[in-house]
Amino acid sequence: MKVVGSLHILYSLAILVSLHSLVAGNSSVVAVTHENLQGIIDSNELVLLSFYTDWCRFSQILQPIFEEAAAKVIQKFPENGRVILGKVNCDTEDILADQFDILKYPTIKIVRNGLIGNQEYRGQRSVEALFQFVEKELSDPIKEFHNIDDLKNVDVGYGIVIGYFISKDHAEYDNYRRVASLLRNDCRFLVGFGDLTKDLRPPGKNALIFRGDPSIPNHKNQYSEYLGNMTSFKELTFWIDKTCVPLVREVTFDNAEELSEEGLPFVLLFYNKDDLSPIQEFKNAIQSQMENETRVIFLTAEGEVFKHPLFHLGKSPSDLPVIAIDSFMHMYLFPRFQDIYDPGALKKFIDDLFSGALHYNYHVAQQAKEDLESIIDPTEDLPVVHESKFKDLKPSKHRYTLVNRTRDEL
Ligand SMILES: *[C@@H]1O[C@H](CO)[C@@H](O)[C@H](O)[C@H]1NC(C)=O
Ligand SMILES: *[C@@H]1O[C@H](CO)[C@@H](O)[C@H](O)[C@H]1NC(C)=O
Ligand SMILES: *[C@@H]1O[C@H](CO)[C@@H](O)[C@H](O)[C@H]1NC(C)=O
Ligand SMILES: *[C@@H]1O[C@H](CO)[C@@H](O)[C@H](O)[C@H]1NC(C)=O
């Protein structure tokens, strides 16, 4: 999850809401409205909200499952303030549906520590899967190490945040935990306490450091220390989001739906799984030329897994690596992979998408091909445009009732 820019922090006095006062009849699911929402999310560590309508058949199917899952969750976590499963009727609560940006029914949104982000549950709609999800979300997101040698051998992956704290019983540690809980799916978190970490932090102080992906040699965030306010939730969230969430991510069938809902075009590297070096070259190029680019999502896609869009681009696995943009309307091919070394070439490709030039050039080239008297040489760098294939990976009408809102065409 990229939270920067989409983070709404709702400031308000926490109103303690007792679960029992909210439960209607014998239901374990709380009916949430614009009137009780704030109190519920402020007084619970985790809230799952199912946005539904009575007339949506997928909502109808989910309803008894969600109810049973809620009963199971309450049985396992009966303490006030841990977790609530709630439901929002979008026909009567259109303000809430807007606030949570609901584009399909049912949507199960996740709210942690009163913070409304854009995370949602996309797993299987079964009692067991929902229950296991809640259990996992309530587990401690930070792993404690008890031996300094554990740190030497730690698998850094995309990156890892390590805390050196005086003790567990500290407001700064509480803050770290809250942030780690929010970003638990985007980064990994470690902590060590007391004498064990004494030499790794300034005397009498706590420290947080980030260790970056060792496979990116020029990564400027290879190692960085958090110098901001240790008790500021917002500041620490922004720092971890910026340093830890990688600029280039791998797309799979499991995360494509979620990525597509970030609402940004994909810039994709299709690679061959037997030759991973283009991934590194792509990451280096993006990192050095486009670290501040926020209009698109940079992704790597395994050519075999995504061979359908690849074929659609007129390419086969023997042509890999291949770079393309999928705008969810069209796909555009980046002419030559090796041009990523030309500073500015990839940036121009992306700029051309947003200026409409990619699309325009295509029509000009088409015209030139048809018009025999044209002076434009049609063999010269034809911009290639195809119908989007990644739009098929957006939320499916076989699983949701989609709300009809149209986005600007790119
Ligand atoms: C209320 O629900 C629980 C579990 O869902 C069930 O065991 C109990 O019999 C129900 N009570 C009534 C009065 O329906
Ligand atoms: C640090 O952040 C906390 C919480 O936002 C705030 O109360 C405190 O005043 C901040 N400290 C400094 C030195 O800015
Ligand atoms: C990104 O922005 C930072 C801060 O504005 C700047 O120092 C850096 O040079 C920029 N990077 C690129 C590749 O333009
Ligand atoms: C969806 O919105 C478009 C544009 O506003 C409209 O033309 C179309 O009829 C709508 N479709 C449905 C099913 O409401």
Side-chain angles (χ1 to χ4, degrees), residues 118-311:
N118 55 5
Q119 280 178 296
E120 64 183 75
Y121 175 82
R122 296 171 195 271
Q124 226 179 37
R125 291 179 196 151
S126 72
V127 174
E128 200 45 43
L130 278 159
F131 177 73
Q132 280 176 8
F133 177 80
V134 169
E135 262 191 328
K136 185 167 157 277
E137 290 294 302
L138 287 174
S139 66
D140 198 332
I142 306 178
K143 204 165 157 240
E144 183 175 348
F145 59 89
H146 299 278
N147 190 323
I148 289 298
D149 288 339
D150 292 352
L151 284 185
K152 290 197 191 105
N153 307 322
V154 73
D155 171 23
V156 171
Y158 281 140
I160 193 162
V161 175
I162 310 175
Y164 306 122
F165 282 82
I166 301 165
S167 79
K168 229 178 203 148
D169 189 20
H170 202 293
E172 294 184 356
Y173 180 62
D174 284 347
N175 189 46
Y176 178 38
R177 269 190 59 160
R178 276 161 47 85
V179 175
S181 173
L182 177 73
L183 298 176
R184 61 194 308 142
N185 298 318
D186 301 304
C187 193
R188 286 183 312 128
F189 303 93
L190 288 180
V191 71
F193 297 105
D195 284 347
L196 181 66
T197 61
K198 195 168 73 238
D199 299 335
L200 296 166
R201 51 185 160 81
K205 289 202 161 160
N206 301 313
L208 277 177
I209 63 124
F210 172 77
R211 268 163 58 178
D213 185 347
S215 70
I216 306 179
N218 328 323
H219 198 315
K220 76 172 166 60
N221 289 331
Q222 198 59 252
Y223 176 97
S224 64
E225 184 176 353
Y226 178 59
L227 300 171
N229 182 337
M230 286 282 247
T231 55
S232 165
F233 178 80
K234 204 172 171 181
E235 211 176 307
L236 183 58
T237 301
F238 274 66
W239 181 74
I240 292 179
D241 188 59
K242 188 166 167 290
T243 42
C244 206
V245 180
L247 208 51
V248 181
R249 289 172 278 177
E250 173 84 4
V251 59
T252 63
F253 281 117
D254 284 339
N255 67 7
E257 180 185 294
E258 181 168 5
L259 289 166
S260 74
E261 283 206 317
E262 290 186 23
L264 303 175
F266 289 176
V267 176
L268 296 140
L269 167 75
F270 294 92
Y271 65 90
N272 181 337
K273 68 175 183 311
D274 297 325
D275 178 14
L276 302 183
S277 57
I279 296 183
Q280 219 43 69
E281 295 166 43
F282 185 63
K283 283 184 178 175
N284 287 341
I286 303 295
Q287 186 68 47
S288 61
Q289 300 171 31
M290 263 169 299
E291 58 169 341
N292 301 323
E293 177 60 72
T294 55
R295 296 172 297 174
V296 297
I297 302 178
F298 295 107
L299 298 170
T300 53
E302 211 235 278
E304 237 356 274
V305 175
F306 289 99
K307 65 170 178 260
H308 186 57
L310 198 59
F311 283 144

Side-chain angles (χ1 to χ4, degrees), residues 6-188:
S6 68
L7 189 68
H8 312 283
I9 297 174
L10 297 175
Y11 300 94
S12 109
L13 291 175
I15 308 157
L16 279 177
V17 176
S18 128
L19 185 55
H20 304 287
S21 68
L22 290 163
V23 173
N26 196 20
S27 172
S28 304
V29 176
V30 177
V32 175
T33 67
H34 59 285
E35 283 167 341
N36 67 7
L37 171 82
Q38 198 66 53
I40 290 169
I41 64 175
D42 281 345
S43 56
N44 284 280
E45 202 177 319
L46 178 68
V47 178
L48 261 57
L49 291 174
S50 169
F51 289 81
Y52 72 99
T53 71
D54 283 331
W55 48 264
C56 155
R57 72 188 178 90
F58 301 108
S59 301
Q60 290 162 1
I61 297 167
L62 174 65
Q63 198 261 334
I65 296 168
F66 202 64
E67 188 66 50
E68 200 180 328
K72 213 172 156 187
V73 163
I74 292 177
Q75 202 169 26
K76 176 81 188 275
F77 303 101
E79 321 89 76
N80 262 337
R82 274 321 295 278
V83 50
I84 280 187
L85 271 63
K87 58 178 181 184
V88 179
N89 182 339
C90 294
D91 281 335
T92 53
E93 295 293 334
D94 48 337
I95 296 171
L96 286 191
D98 265 5
Q99 185 185 351
F100 281 81
D101 229 351
I102 302 304
L103 296 169
K104 58 194 192 298
Y105 311 124
T107 295
I108 302 175
K109 288 275 182 177
I110 302 155
V111 184
R112 288 192 202 80
N113 300 309
L115 195 72
I116 298 173
N118 55 5
Q119 280 178 296
E120 64 183 75
Y121 175 82
R122 296 171 195 271
Q124 226 179 37
R125 291 179 196 151
S126 72
V127 174
E128 200 45 43
L130 278 159
F131 177 73
Q132 280 176 8
F133 177 80
V134 169
E135 262 191 328
K136 185 167 157 277
E137 290 294 302
L138 287 174
S139 66
D140 198 332
I142 306 178
K143 204 165 157 240
E144 183 175 348
F145 59 89
H146 299 278
N147 190 323
I148 289 298
D149 288 339
D150 292 352
L151 284 185
K152 290 197 191 105
N153 307 322
V154 73
D155 171 23
V156 171
Y158 281 140
I160 193 162
V161 175
I162 310 175
Y164 306 122
F165 282 82
I166 301 165
S167 79
K168 229 178 203 148
D169 189 20
H170 202 293
E172 294 184 356
Y173 180 62
D174 284 347
N175 189 46
Y176 178 38
R177 269 190 59 160
R178 276 161 47 85
V179 175
S181 173
L182 177 73
L183 298 176
R184 61 194 308 142
N185 298 318
D186 301 304
C187 193
R188 286 183 312 128

Side-chain angles (χ1 to χ4, degrees), residues 392-406:
D392 302 343
L393 300 175
K394 289 174 91 165
S396 150
K397 65 179 193 307
H398 301 297
R399 209 169 132 69
Y400 300 104
T401 301
L402 303 174
V403 183
N404 185 22
R405 277 193 220 166
T406 45

Side-chain angles (χ1 to χ4, degrees), residues 315 323 332-339 349 381-384:
K315 296 288 172 184
I323 293 176
Y332 303 93
L333 196 62
F334 183 65
R336 276 177 306 268
F337 175 77
Q338 57 273 27
D339 286 348
F349 183 53
D381 271 355
L382 269 187
V384 185

